[in-house]
């Protein structure tokens, strides 16, 4: 579902991704950990077209991200084609980024209404079903300010699911939450994984990574230092830098 081959990305003279190779099969959950500044968010943003890669290749569901192959040459996609690719990828950020002046249901309906021109009634019904799925059946008409951080993040997940993505990206979805609210968001993510959603999750929730992750990737300074089954990486890290990082966060 995701195939990154020697992905490089620089900002000015700073090389932030220095050759990332990662394969995520359909239905798999890949968790990404690593120190601040190691390039985790940039990598997710490259998968989702929020950044353009400088070198290497990125495929999502077999399709080159941002490019089309024709006669052995690469052609950059048109804006409309990029938009189409992006519709298949849902993303959830550390900050929930909900529209503050829209209710929970309206936030979830927004993309289906504007991008797909879904009729209001059908969009609202689907929004309610999605809010039910994330445990918010009593909050359809609440505004973000009336919701806890955990509830807002669950609305953000429902909103990302509204476009029926094939891939979900999570960038530290629980890092901004009070500790007692982390569990409810992880439960929703665990449920999604159980239903077979392909997910790439940047998180420092090691319990989640161990239990739900098929792969755990440790990034440092723009490289994947170590990757493997979470149990192995956490229990028996091979690289000194992984050991040092884990000794700080575990
Ligand atoms: P992480 O998510 O692992 O903390 P990031 O991917 O956010 O790391 O950032 C990696 C490095 O790239 C950092 O040094 C950061 O300052 C730099 N960086 C990220 N985005 C930009 C940008 N838009 N312009 C310049 N530098 C950036
Ligand atoms: Mg980050």
């Amino acid at each position: 579902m995701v195939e990154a081959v020697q992905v490089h990305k620089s900002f000015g003279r700073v090389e932030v991704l220095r050759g990332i190779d990662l394969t995520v099969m359909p239905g798999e959950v890949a968790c990404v950990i690593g120190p601040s500044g190691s390039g985790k968010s940039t990598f997710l943003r490259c998968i989702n077209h929020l950044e353009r890669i400088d070198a290497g290749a990125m495929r999502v569901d077999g399709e080159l991200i941002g490019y089309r192959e024709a006669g052995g040459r690469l052609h950059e996609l048109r804006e409309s084609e990029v938009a189409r690719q992006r519709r298949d990828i849902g993303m959830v950020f550390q900050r929930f980024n909900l529209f503050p002046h829209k209710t929970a249901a309206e936030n979830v309906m927004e993309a289906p209404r504007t991008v797909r021109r879904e009729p209001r009634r059908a969009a609202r019904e689907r929004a309610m079903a999605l809010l039910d799925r994330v445990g918010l059946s009593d909050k359809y008409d609440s505004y973000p300010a009336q919701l806890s951080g955990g509830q807002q993040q669950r609305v953000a997940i429902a909103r990302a699911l509204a476009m029926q993505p094939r891939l979900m990206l999570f960038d530290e979805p629980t890092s901004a939450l009070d500790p007692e609210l982390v569990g409810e968001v992880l439960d929703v993510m665990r449920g999604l994984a159980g239903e077979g959603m392909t997910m790439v999750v940047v998180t420092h929730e090691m319990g989640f990574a161990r239990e739900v992750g098929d792969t755990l990737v440790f990034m440092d300074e723009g490289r994947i230092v170590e990757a493997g089954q979470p149990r192995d990486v956490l229990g028996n890290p091979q690289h000194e830098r992984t050991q040092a990082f884990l000794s700080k966060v575990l």
Side-chain angles (χ1 to χ4, degrees), residues 11 14 16 34-43 51 171-172 202:
F11 293 109
V14 185
V16 172
S36 179
S38 56
K40 305 180 298 295
S41 295
T42 303
F43 180 62
E51 303 288 354
D171 194 357
E172 302 201 37
V202 175

Side-chain angles (χ1 to χ4, degrees), residues 21-175:
D21 292 303
L22 181 69
T23 302
V24 186
M25 302 298 284
E28 273 188 1
V29 177
C31 293
V32 182
I33 60 172
S36 179
S38 56
K40 305 180 298 295
S41 295
T42 303
F43 180 62
L44 283 193
R45 292 167 60 83
C46 287
I47 299 177
N48 198 20
H49 286 287
L50 293 170
E51 303 288 354
R52 193 171 168 233
I53 67 175
D54 299 328
M58 184 87 87
R59 284 189 175 80
V60 174
D61 210 3
E63 191 172 39
L64 269 177
I65 275 279
Y67 296 92
R68 152 165 50 83
E69 266 165 331
R73 292 173 57 190
L74 289 184
H75 296 270
E76 209 150 350
L77 295 184
R78 283 193 296 271
E79 216 171 295
S80 60
E81 295 171 304
V82 168
R84 177 186 54 72
Q85 282 188 341
R86 287 198 63 195
R87 282 206 283 278
D88 290 333
I89 306 173
M91 187 150 178
V92 175
F93 301 89
Q94 181 173 341
R95 295 265 156 217
F96 331 119
N97 304 327
L98 298 176
F99 298 112
H101 55 288
K102 289 183 188 291
T103 64
E106 286 165 353
N107 266 279
V108 178
M109 290 160 65
E110 177 68 16
R113 290 275 291 147
T114 56
V115 179
R116 278 213 204 124
R117 314 245 169 249
E118 250 180 53
R120 163 166 281 282
R121 194 139 156 204
R124 174 155 173 106
E125 259 164 36
R126 279 211 315 117
M128 293 191 301
L130 285 164
L131 289 169
D132 293 348
R133 187 164 158 193
V134 300
L136 292 174
S137 32
D138 52 343
K139 302 291 182 192
Y140 301 150
D141 299 315
S142 300
Y143 287 90
Q146 300 170 313
L147 300 172
S148 72
Q151 291 169 335
Q152 289 183 57
Q153 192 61 302
R154 286 185 281 148
V155 174
I157 294 173
R159 184 179 57 176
L161 292 173
M163 293 300 281
Q164 295 164 305
R166 287 179 291 171
L167 169 68
M168 285 283 285
L169 308 176
F170 293 87
D171 194 357
E172 302 201 37
T174 60
S175 297

